[in-house]
Amino acid sequence: MKLIRHFSLVDCPGHNVLMSTMLNGAAVMDAALLLIAANETFPQPQTLEHLKAVEIMHLTQLIVVQNKIDLVPQATAEDQYYRIKEYLYNQASHAPVIPLCAQLKHNIEYLLEYMVRVVPPKRNLTAHSLMTVIRSFDINKPSENIDDLCGGVVGGTVTKGILKVGQEVEIRPGHVRRLQKGEQKCQYLHSHVTSLKAEDNNLQFAIPGGLIAVGTTLDPTLTRSNKMVGNVLGAKGSLPEVYSVLEISYYLLLEVMVASKKVHKIKIQERDNLQLNVGSLTLGAEVTKMTEDPPMMRLRLAQPVCCSRDERVAISSNFGSDKSFRLVGWGTINRGAAPQTG
């Protein structure tokens, strides 16, 4: 084979209680592979939820992989194939369905060809650099000499522009402090990029795509244990606004899966506590105002978030016997109110 393109693959959990993890991962993806087992009934309870998540996160490229076709008779595999195509058509999706046997590597070449030819990356290299943080950590050992301490490290994906070693960057919302009466205060962080790594490769610059570890001059106590997840890093003075209150136009799903059964549309009321996915951040939010015509919702956020107007957010609500959060809809950010800064 000849090397044509590099792909970074992210394995997303399928269980409903881990939907927020999947939505956070989708925030930095270009395309999605929906894996369906030929030897199981279709659709599984989470299939509809995952297809809606793909739509919410603006993943326009979807490839459906029908795996394990070697474990069932040909007629069974063909029957499921056509049921998948019909199901996708009813969901207004024209995604291709590729039957294969991954273990025996049958039809893998067709999947690779489709990924290379039909899922071209759309990169904006001329814009100000912007990176979504999905990990952060402290690489220093507990017994490290103070003179040998390294700055904090953040990991994520560059979504636009070019990030370079030595570049001055800003991180928002940054360090958040709790004030009286539930108010919050943000301190935007400023740093320099000391290193860029992709796996074991040291880079001088990073372009959109793939997962990058960015060494900084930040105090490592700020980045340890994923404290910076959900932040946005980029060129100083070019980042989106930070909000502690959001006003969104919302849409609720017509049906939601609970205990493997479809239930009717979930109703949300004022003072309800919801879970939002904004970029790579999962956070709580309280509904402070709600209208149905037009459908608008004002939310007080449990923590500030750096985001852009017209950005999509996923909405989850806790209901059912186990009271776990389930995806019930999505919204588009119209405006917001900023927290205190300084």
Side-chain angles (χ1 to χ4, degrees):
M1 290 189 177
K2 181 175 67 173
L3 176 61
I4 299 177
R5 183 176 299 150
H6 288 276
F7 285 93
S8 295
L9 300 179
V10 181
D11 184 15
C12 294
H15 198 277
N16 67 287
V17 298
L18 297 175
M19 276 297 294
S20 62
T21 305
M22 189 274 280
L23 289 166
N24 290 343
V28 297
M29 296 177 188
D30 295 310
L33 301 176
L34 179 64
L35 185 63
I36 296 173
N39 62 337
E40 294 182 357
T41 57
F42 175 84
Q44 290 291 305
Q46 294 306 117
T47 302
L48 173 64
E49 202 167 26
H50 281 204
L51 286 173
K52 289 299 180 184
V54 167
E55 181 181 351
I56 290 169
M57 303 311 290
H58 277 309
L59 285 176
T60 57
Q61 296 289 352
L62 173 68
I63 307 171
V64 179
V65 179
Q66 183 191 21
N67 192 24
K68 301 182 180 180
I69 58 173
D70 58 315
L71 300 183
V72 296
Q74 180 176 339
T76 302
E78 290 179 351
D79 178 65
Q80 188 196 55
Y81 174 87
Y82 289 112
R83 281 191 287 118
I84 294 172
K85 295 290 288 186
E86 181 181 6
Y87 187 86
L88 292 172
Y89 178 80
N90 292 333
Q91 297 298 323
S93 172
H94 302 286
V97 181
I98 304 178
L100 58 80
C101 171
Q103 190 166 1
L104 300 177
K105 299 184 179 180
H106 291 330
N107 286 355
I108 291 291
E109 66 273 20
Y110 297 110
L111 174 61
L112 294 176
E113 182 179 1
Y114 192 94
M115 291 171 63
V116 169
R117 294 180 180 273
V118 188
V119 190
K122 298 178 181 179
R123 309 300 189 206
N124 184 350
L125 302 180
T126 59
H128 292 294
S129 56
L130 186 71
M131 172 178 162
T132 303
V133 178
I134 59 176
R135 289 190 64 198
S136 72
F137 39 92
D138 174 12
I139 61 174
N140 299 291
K141 297 178 180 179
S143 58
E144 197 76 71
N145 188 293
I146 190 170
D147 295 327
D148 298 326
L149 287 176
C150 297
V153 178
V154 297
T157 297
V158 177
T159 54
K160 62 181 180 180
I162 300 176
L163 195 61
K164 302 177 182 178
V165 172
Q167 178 180 342
E168 184 178 3
V169 293
E170 184 177 16
I171 300 174
R172 295 186 179 185
H175 181 53
V176 179
R177 289 180 291 167
R178 306 286 177 178
L179 304 178
Q180 295 180 350
K181 299 181 181 180
E183 295 183 357
Q184 303 171 97
K185 189 173 184 178
C186 296
Q187 181 181 357
Y188 302 156
L189 301 176
H190 298 87
S191 180
H192 284 83
V193 177
T194 59
S195 64
L196 293 169
K197 273 194 172 185
E199 297 182 354
D200 293 328
N201 301 315
N202 290 306
L203 309 174
Q204 290 303 309
F205 62 89
I207 62 174
L211 299 174
I212 305 295
V214 181
T216 71
T217 54
L218 292 175
D219 185 331
T221 60
L222 296 174
T223 61
R224 66 177 47 158
S225 303
N226 288 326
K227 289 182 180 179
M228 300 298 294
V229 170
N231 276 260
V232 176
L233 178 150
K236 184 179 178 181
S238 67
L239 296 184
E241 296 295 328
V242 174
Y243 301 111
S244 58
V245 174
L246 288 179
E247 185 178 293
I248 65 174
S249 300
Y250 69 90
Y251 172 83
L252 298 181
L253 301 180
L254 298 178
E255 56 189 20
V256 180
M257 297 300 301
V258 179
S260 301
K261 297 180 180 178
K262 293 180 180 179
V263 301
H264 293 296
K265 185 175 180 179
I266 302 300
K267 187 173 179 62
I268 296 177
Q269 301 175 334
E270 292 184 7
R271 303 190 69 179
D272 280 358
N273 290 313
L274 304 176
Q275 179 176 280
L276 299 184
N277 289 87
V278 186
S280 63
L281 182 64
T282 301
L283 71 157
E286 180 187 2
V287 181
T288 59
K289 183 179 179 181
M290 192 166 181
T291 61
E292 294 185 359
D293 188 18
M296 186 275 296
M297 194 184 299
R298 184 174 297 160
L299 302 161
R300 180 186 295 115
L301 306 181
Q303 63 188 95
V305 61
C306 179
C307 56
S308 304
R309 294 186 182 185
D310 297 327
E311 186 173 336
R312 279 199 178 188
V313 300
I315 304 171
S316 300
S317 179
N318 58 335
F319 55 88
S321 58
D322 58 353
K323 294 294 182 180
S324 60
F325 282 96
R326 287 179 170 84
L327 183 67
V328 297
W330 67 84
T332 303
I333 298 173
N334 296 329
R335 60 181 65 88
Q340 297 184 39
T341 59

